[in-house]
Amino acid sequence: MDLKGFLYKYTVPRIFKESPQDSAITRDINRTFPAHDYFKDTGGDGQDSLYKICKAYSVYDEEIGYCQGQSFLAAVLLLHMPEEQAFSVLVKIMFDYGLRELFKQNFEDLHCKFYQLERLMQEYIPDLYNHFLDISLEAHMYASQWFLTLFTAKFPLYMVFHIIDLLLCEGISVIFNVALGLLKTSKDDLLLTDFEGALKFFRVQLPKRYRSEENAKRLMELACNMKISQKKLKKYEKEYHTMREQQAQQEDPIERFERENRRLQEANMRLEQENDDLAHELVTSKIALRKDLDNAEEKADALNKELLMTKQKLIDAEEEKRRLEEESAQLKEMCRRELDKAESEIKKNSSIIGDYKQICSQLSERLEKQQTANKVEIEKIRQKVDDCERCRELFNKEGRIKGVSAAKEALDEDTDEEKETLKNQLREMELELAQTKLQLVEAECKIQDLEHHLGLALNEVQAAKKTWFNRTLSSIKTATGVQGKETC
């Protein structure tokens, strides 16, 4: 039968057939890897697939059915392959690798495995073997899950994956290698314990030790390097069966049944304790998950509030930015108008100064021309006076009248009047020049004042921009920093 036909025959139709262990399967599904993301959700894909595989196998293998802990092995297979393939590999391990033999005949083959493990301990770890004899600790008290679940129930998954790989390659005898490796690496701690301490060590401390991948790697190297021959295991198996036959012949049936009853009661108590431990772990995991969920919801609410506050701050910052931009635009417009006005005043003053300079230049030229013409005229008159004998008698060499004082006075008066007129004109021109200079100074002062106001205005605009930008950047940084801390 090909794989497709096999899966169709033994999985799909049998899922809908009732299983006598259905309640046990349903109970164990929630306890299988409750902290793993794929299996933690009740009714999720992981639990649904796991339920289908366990129920299908219980219907398929009616002799064995479903055994407690079988769900862990099925879950490990589901993490690597689809449920149809996981079911087929589970069947292969149970039948071809002999795992189902451990569950048959009242776990007789499992007790044989315990005897073989103790004989291997006697050979490889004699001091620990003797210590276990002293404290009355038997292999079935700590190693039952190792054989029945292939170490999947307690140990970290990355270690379990290596063990399953070795089992598929080497066979079920790999369990002895791993078991001896665990006992060897824990020997020093176990030699210091009593009966209760040893059980607690196997149940709690030993699985925690291999949460470190480095420890798990060293354990697997030790297990692979340990050579256990099949011949030796066969020898110990014969010893066990011979011992059991001798006990059956010598022992009273009632005592045998009582001993078996005690052993079953002990196994039942141990399984109940393990069941309680698993239930406690499940409750603890659910409480931790609920706390984490509540904390995540609180953090989400806080982050939402912080986000709303940040958005409001951003809106306020944008409004402040628009207001500052409007003020800046108004200030720039005012500065531009004042600058245009100042430039207009400067042009006007420059034009007045230019006109004044032009007038002064024209007056200077007229004065020079007048003086030159007067000198020429005086020279002509003086020349005529010198040529005229009569005039020489009336005028001296400086051009003054010698005998006529009235003429002299009249001439002096005319000259003084002309001088006075020129002086008045000169004073008026100087006054006009002084006024022009004063206006120029006032214009320059006003220009400097406007430039000073312009500089202050530009500084205020720059400071306002920097203040707004820094305030906005600071608020955003603060909000981002607070958010980052809360997220961490």
Side-chain angles (χ1 to χ4, degrees):
M1 182 183 299
D2 60 3
L3 178 61
K4 184 176 180 181
F6 175 83
L7 295 175
Y8 178 80
K9 180 178 179 181
Y10 292 116
T11 59
V12 179
R14 293 175 183 259
I15 288 297
F16 302 102
K17 185 178 178 181
E18 291 298 326
S19 170
Q21 293 93 12
D22 190 74
S23 59
I25 295 172
T26 304
R27 184 176 61 251
D28 285 352
I29 293 301
N30 292 326
R31 300 174 181 176
T32 305
F33 300 137
H36 197 282
D37 292 337
Y38 187 56
F39 298 105
K40 67 180 181 181
D41 295 330
T42 303
D45 294 339
Q47 290 194 11
D48 183 61
S49 298
L50 187 58
Y51 172 78
K52 290 179 181 178
I53 291 178
C54 294
K55 183 178 178 181
Y57 186 83
S58 68
V59 175
Y60 169 69
D61 189 0
E62 294 180 353
E63 181 183 2
I64 301 299
Y66 173 79
C67 298
Q68 188 179 23
Q70 198 178 76
S71 60
F72 286 95
L73 178 58
V76 170
L77 298 176
L78 270 176
L79 292 175
H80 289 82
M81 59 195 75
E83 60 185 65
E84 294 85 358
Q85 296 180 13
F87 175 79
S88 65
V89 174
L90 177 62
V91 172
K92 187 80 172 177
I93 292 175
M94 294 294 288
F95 280 84
D96 294 355
Y97 286 83
L99 187 61
R100 70 186 299 272
E101 300 298 324
L102 303 180
F103 299 93
K104 294 169 63 176
Q105 300 176 1
N106 200 19
F107 298 97
E108 185 65 26
D109 193 60
L110 177 62
H111 287 283
C112 179
K113 294 291 189 294
F114 292 152
Y115 178 80
Q116 290 173 311
L117 178 60
E118 289 178 342
R119 293 286 283 116
L120 290 171
M121 283 180 60
Q122 186 178 8
E123 179 180 351
Y124 288 97
I125 324 172
D127 48 354
L128 185 61
Y129 172 78
N130 294 327
H131 178 67
F132 282 0
L133 287 179
D134 294 337
I135 64 176
S136 300
L137 184 67
E138 299 177 5
H140 68 86
M141 299 177 181
Y142 60 84
S144 58
Q145 281 193 348
W146 295 359
F147 288 92
L148 294 178
T149 68
L150 302 181
F151 302 91
T152 58
K154 288 286 186 180
F155 292 92
L157 284 174
Y158 49 79
M159 175 178 165
V160 172
F161 296 157
H162 288 300
I163 295 174
I164 299 299
D165 289 340
L166 285 175
L167 182 137
L168 293 175
C169 293
E170 303 294 335
I172 200 169
S173 62
V174 168
I175 299 176
F176 293 110
N177 297 64
V178 178
L180 287 177
L182 288 172
L183 293 170
K184 264 193 171 185
T185 54
S186 306
K187 182 181 72 172
D188 295 337
D189 295 318
L190 289 170
L191 289 174
L192 302 175
T193 60
D194 56 5
F195 179 80
E196 294 294 336
L199 289 180
K200 184 177 180 182
F201 180 86
F202 281 114
R203 189 173 64 253
V204 179
Q205 298 178 12
L206 185 62
K208 287 184 178 179
R209 174 174 295 179
Y210 294 99
R211 291 177 183 175
S212 168
E213 293 191 23
E214 187 64 29
N215 292 340
K217 183 179 179 182
R218 285 198 293 268
L219 172 66
M220 298 314 298
E221 290 177 354
L222 178 61
C224 292
N225 293 329
M226 195 173 297
K227 303 300 180 182
I228 301 175
S229 65
Q230 295 295 323
K231 184 177 180 181
K232 187 177 296 185
L233 292 176
K234 289 289 184 182
K235 175 185 175 183
Y236 295 153
E237 183 178 356
K238 289 182 180 179
E239 289 180 3
Y240 174 77
H241 289 303
T242 302
M243 182 185 67
R244 294 291 293 172
E245 290 176 359
Q246 291 176 354
Q247 288 178 354
Q249 293 174 359
Q250 298 175 0
E251 189 176 20
D252 184 66
I254 297 176
E255 292 180 355
R256 185 174 74 252
F257 288 136
E258 289 178 350
R259 183 173 56 81
E260 287 293 329
N261 186 39
R262 286 195 301 271
R263 184 175 61 81
L264 290 174
Q265 286 179 351
E266 290 176 357
N268 184 50
M269 291 177 61
R270 186 176 66 256
L271 292 175
E272 287 180 354
Q273 180 63 39
E274 293 175 354
N275 187 32
D276 293 339
D277 293 339
L278 291 173
H280 181 265
E281 289 181 4
L282 176 63
V283 173
T284 305
S285 300
K286 286 187 175 180
I287 292 174
L289 288 173
R290 171 53 57 185
K291 288 182 179 179
D292 293 339
L293 181 60
D294 293 339
N295 292 333
E297 290 177 352
E298 291 177 359
K299 287 183 178 180
D301 293 339
L303 290 174
N304 287 330
K305 291 179 181 178
E306 188 66 27
L307 179 61
L308 292 176
M309 292 174 61
T310 304
K311 286 182 177 179
Q312 186 60 41
K313 288 181 180 179
L314 181 60
I315 292 172
D316 295 340
E318 289 177 351
E319 291 179 356
E320 182 70 14
K321 177 185 175 183
R322 285 195 295 270
R323 186 181 63 80
L324 291 174
E325 286 178 349
E326 291 175 358
E327 291 180 357
S328 175
Q330 293 175 359
L331 189 58
K332 285 182 178 179
E333 182 64 23
M334 183 183 70
C335 292
R336 188 185 62 78
R337 288 198 302 267
E338 291 295 330
L339 185 61
D340 292 341
K341 185 177 178 181
E343 289 178 352
S344 177
E345 289 291 334
I346 292 172
K347 290 180 180 179
K348 182 178 178 182
N349 293 330
S350 299
S351 177
I352 293 172
I353 293 170
D355 294 340
Y356 171 75
K357 289 181 178 179
Q358 186 176 1
I359 292 171
C360 291
S361 176
Q362 291 175 357
L363 291 175
S364 298
E365 290 178 358
R366 285 176 60 188
L367 181 59
E368 289 177 358
K369 289 179 180 180
Q370 189 66 34
Q371 288 177 350
T372 303
N374 289 337
K375 287 181 180 180
V376 173
E377 189 66 28
I378 290 171
E379 287 297 327
K380 287 182 180 180
I381 294 171
R382 188 176 293 170
Q383 186 65 36
K384 288 181 179 180
V385 170
D386 290 339
D387 292 340
C388 181
E389 293 180 359
R390 186 178 178 183
C391 292
R392 278 199 303 269
E393 293 178 357
L394 294 174
F395 297 94
N396 57 16
K397 292 182 178 181
E398 289 80 11
R400 298 178 183 276
I401 300 173
K402 295 180 179 179
V404 185
S405 56
K408 178 180 179 181
E409 291 176 0
L411 183 60
D412 291 337
E413 187 176 351
D414 294 335
T415 305
D416 291 337
E417 185 177 352
E418 186 177 356
K419 286 182 179 180
E420 187 66 25
T421 303
L422 292 174
K423 285 180 180 180
N424 290 334
Q425 291 179 356
L426 184 59
R427 278 197 298 271
E428 290 176 359
M429 293 176 67
E430 289 177 349
L431 180 60
E432 187 177 356
L433 179 60
Q435 291 177 352
T436 305
K437 287 183 177 180
L438 180 61
Q439 292 177 355
L440 178 61
V441 171
E442 290 176 353
E444 290 178 350
C445 291
K446 188 178 292 185
I447 290 170
Q448 291 179 355
D449 190 30
L450 289 173
E451 289 178 349
H452 177 67
H453 284 300
L454 179 60
L456 291 176
L458 291 176
N459 290 333
E460 290 177 359
V461 171
Q462 189 67 24
K465 286 184 177 179
K466 288 183 178 179
T467 303
W468 167 82
F469 180 74
N470 291 333
R471 188 163 60 248
T472 304
L473 185 60
S474 176
S475 64
I476 292 174
K477 282 184 177 179
T478 304
T480 306
V482 172
Q483 187 174 356
K485 291 180 180 178
E486 292 182 356
T487 305
C488 292

